[in-house]
Amino acid sequence: MRVGVDYYPEHWDKSLWAADADLMKQTGVKLVRMAEFAWCRLEPRDGVFDFSWLDEAVALFADRGIDVVLCTPVSCPPLWLYEKHPDIVHVEKDGTPTRLGIRSHRCVTNPVFLQYADRITIEMAKHYAGNAAVVGWQINNELEAYFCYCGHCIDKYRTWLQEKYGSLENLNRAYGNVVWSGEYSSWAQVTPPFGTLPHAWQNPAYMLDYYRFCSDNVIDFSNRQAAQLRQYCPGRPVTTNVWFCEHMPDFYKQFDGLDFISYDNYPATRLPSDPESCYSHAFHLDMMRGVKRQPFWIMEQLSGGKGCWAPMEKPPLPGMIRGYALQAFAHGADTVVHFRWRTANIGAEMHWHGLLDHSNVPGRRFREFADMCIEANALEKLQGTEIKADVAILFAFDNEYAFRIQPQTDGYYYMEQLQRLHRAFMGLGLNVDIIGQHEKLDGYRIVCAPEMYVTDAGVVERLNEFAMKGGTVILTTRSGVKDRNNNALMTLLPGPYQEMAGVHAVEYAPIGWEAVSVLFGDGTELQAKQWCDVLETDTAEVLASYNGDYYCGAPAITRNACGQGQVYYIGTVGTQPVYDRVAGMAAEKAALPVIAGLPPRVEIVTRTGREASAKFIFNNDDQPKSFVMDGQEISLAPFEMKVVLI
Ligand code: GAL
């Protein structure tokens, strides 16, 4: 378990570098990431490269036994390049070029930009190929599947559609373009969604393809960079750092072409008072582990108070620096790199705090970081231990995109039910995987398939097979609604899942901010919101019914025997206790080894290995907790992580 820091030698006077490297070594830092925005210093003039300053920095770290990850600096082209080739700039939805001044203004489709990006990448790769201190590469920084409206992107989008559909006739049919006289009669009429109208006004079939195209387009760029790095600097693993943003590329496709996943992890510093809130980053971490189903890195980890484009926030509370880093290790990170070593004294991000403050005087956060480094380094014995999960949750980028395109009802968003199910199963002390919908389901006992909105026939078949063979599937509302093109299926819901769920909806009520209660068989009444499928059972048993509104008495949550397995259907969006209850029932029926009575916000991950196994027990709360596990009293201070060898 390795700890690193993000470091920007180009931001600091050289006189500070050696002292920084010494302090890192003394603290137990094993890795630094550098150079992701440093193009103007690496190629100060067209074709003139200067790696000398970076060589010096790399050598300082190498001398102290600290490894280096370098980044391709292609997110921030130097101004001379924009001046020479103004058209490499990203174009906004109103057709105007983005104005320079911030960062990431370039369009990754533009052939001139690509030539320059190739050149700096190849030069760097060649230069560091023989340098053993450089142990890996990060492509760009937080590559997003931005919408760009430049001519090159439009041409590429048309080509992408031509390859997919072959003819305009097929395309018109797939999109249902007859609506509002939208049929294309020439390829020149096909454009990205220009203008500022909400995307829900656009044709949803067209919009879903456009999201897919933007994702494929940025993946082309990361694959291109990866190929160059591998050719000219062989033997070094390549990644890019991702985050949960508005324009996420399809991580499953993107990381097919890369060696490992890395994620920028900025958990909450202010805990929400609402006990319903799913603020824990455990969900994000489990999702990152699931992308390649292997250990991952945190490339940027919370180190201080956030701020810069927004007003400054409270700094991490005592315990958070240590607790959140160890939480990442618990969920499968093998390297956690803190953003950043020292808070910048210059530039737009001077209020996004690092481990050290502007003063460069080590303070509370730094001391906590130093303690954490000692602990993380002592966890070496758990390197290679696995997180084996009985429970999986399926994720699909098609659904993420489709729900963004067409909001379902007020307050509804895709991640919510996934996060609630995740929290419910974690609350039982179980490991949970979050995996792509196309992954194999072998080895799981319970698979949650929430909001399977855009239907993939192969996935339906696999889930059915999984249940038939004895697995438990948990389905939710908004499943089986759309076909692959994002057009509505002509079927009762949940569409192709009806038979396995043994239930169908005769109507649905999107209730937005309204609430409705659901009554379980034992008289327990819990709250639900946003959506109500009015169900009729075919073969399923009713677990809970609506207790209000015009559909009072209709089934809301059901369970069906499907072959040797079970299929639950949750026809509404519950508050957390609804998912806790369903998860509890499903885990009990599947005889999973739950830990009863875990206090809220206590998270347990079990890592198993041949040599050693451990339970990571984390109190993700600002209040102390205590409970009994295996007959032993466990007490946890706020944000304390206990690693108990088993
Ligand atoms: C990240 C980004 C960093 C820095 C940080 C803090 O999302 O990758 O470059 O901007 O946020 O603002």
Side-chain angles (χ1 to χ4, degrees), residues 38-77:
W39 195 341
C40 76
R41 287 290 174 93
L42 296 167
E43 190 181 0
R45 290 191 308 285
D46 192 350
V48 178
F49 299 95
D50 178 9
F51 298 119
S52 58
W53 63 272
L54 189 56
D55 291 346
E56 253 181 79
V58 172
L60 273 178
F61 293 117
D63 287 349
R64 289 158 180 81
I66 297 173
D67 291 336
V68 171
V69 164
L70 289 180
C71 308
T72 63
V74 291
S75 158
C76 286

Side-chain angles (χ1 to χ4, degrees), residues 8 33 36-37 103 141-142 241 243 264 266 300 308-309 339 349 352:
Y8 298 87
R33 179 196 69 168
E36 81 272 24
F37 300 123
R103 67 181 187 188
N141 183 68
E142 294 187 343
N241 55 335
W243 67 301
D264 294 349
Y266 292 103
E300 296 182 13
C308 50
W309 45 85
F339 184 88
E349 292 202 329
W352 193 284

Side-chain angles (χ1 to χ4, degrees), residues 19 70 234 243 259 269 314 361 437 478 515 575 580 591 601 614 624:
L70 289 180
W243 67 301
D259 299 307
T269 49
K314 213 170 169 178
V361 177
Q437 64 170 350
R478 308 315 286 143
T575 49
D580 293 347
R601 298 182 173 178

Side-chain angles (χ1 to χ4, degrees), residues 6 92 225 245 269 378 383 439 518 610:
D6 296 306
E92 305 284 340
Q225 290 252 298
C245 57
T269 49
Q383 196 77 26
E439 289 291 331
V518 290
R610 278 211 199 120

Side-chain angles (χ1 to χ4, degrees), residues 108-309:
V108 299
T109 317
N110 183 289
V112 175
F113 166 74
L114 286 173
Q115 271 174 28
Y116 280 90
D118 292 351
R119 189 173 70 181
I120 181 78
T121 300
I122 291 170
E123 286 297 324
M124 271 183 97
K126 282 184 185 163
H127 187 84
Y128 289 102
N131 192 326
V134 176
V135 297
W137 288 95
Q138 173 191 301
I139 291 169
N140 200 84
N141 183 68
E142 294 187 343
L143 269 179
E144 291 180 33
Y146 283 126
F147 296 177
C148 171
Y149 301 79
C150 78
H152 299 287
C153 284
I154 296 176
D155 287 348
K156 193 168 170 189
Y157 176 44
R158 289 179 186 147
T159 308
W160 186 91
L161 289 171
Q162 280 158 358
E163 280 167 11
K164 180 164 178 182
Y165 295 101
S167 69
L168 279 178
E169 207 188 354
N170 291 342
L171 177 60
N172 282 326
R173 197 174 325 106
Y175 287 3
N177 276 340
V178 62
V179 174
W180 294 350
S181 275
E183 290 183 317
Y184 300 122
S185 50
S186 100
W187 285 101
Q189 294 159 5
V190 182
T191 63
F194 277 109
T196 49
L197 276 181
H199 287 153
W201 280 82
Q202 302 277 359
N203 179 339
Y206 152 84
M207 280 305 298
L208 179 56
D209 258 358
Y210 185 64
Y211 266 83
R212 288 170 175 153
F213 160 74
C214 292
S215 170
D216 283 0
N217 187 38
V218 82
I219 293 171
D220 279 355
F221 180 63
S222 67
N223 285 341
R224 180 183 181 115
Q225 290 252 298
Q228 290 159 355
L229 293 169
R230 287 180 183 134
Q231 181 177 351
Y232 294 99
C233 188
R236 313 307 208 285
V238 180
T239 188
T240 189
N241 55 335
V242 297
W243 67 301
F244 281 68
C245 57
E246 194 182 336
H247 294 283
M248 286 188 278
D250 181 327
F251 297 155
Y252 302 105
K253 278 191 186 177
Q254 184 174 22
F255 283 88
D256 257 357
L258 302 176
D259 299 307
F260 65 99
I261 187 149
S262 59
Y263 168 63
D264 294 349
N265 192 33
Y266 292 103
T269 49
R270 179 183 296 165
L271 300 194
S273 51
D274 171 14
E276 269 281 289
S277 168
C278 289
Y279 67 85
S280 174
H281 269 226
F283 177 86
H284 303 62
L285 300 167
D286 283 341
M287 178 156 164
M288 290 303 125
R289 185 180 73 252
V291 171
K292 284 183 86 69
R293 303 183 82 169
Q294 68 185 39
F296 60 98
W297 290 28
I298 299 296
M299 202 54 107
E300 296 182 13
Q301 171 77 11
L302 175 81
S303 300
K306 302 173 205 169
C308 50
W309 45 85

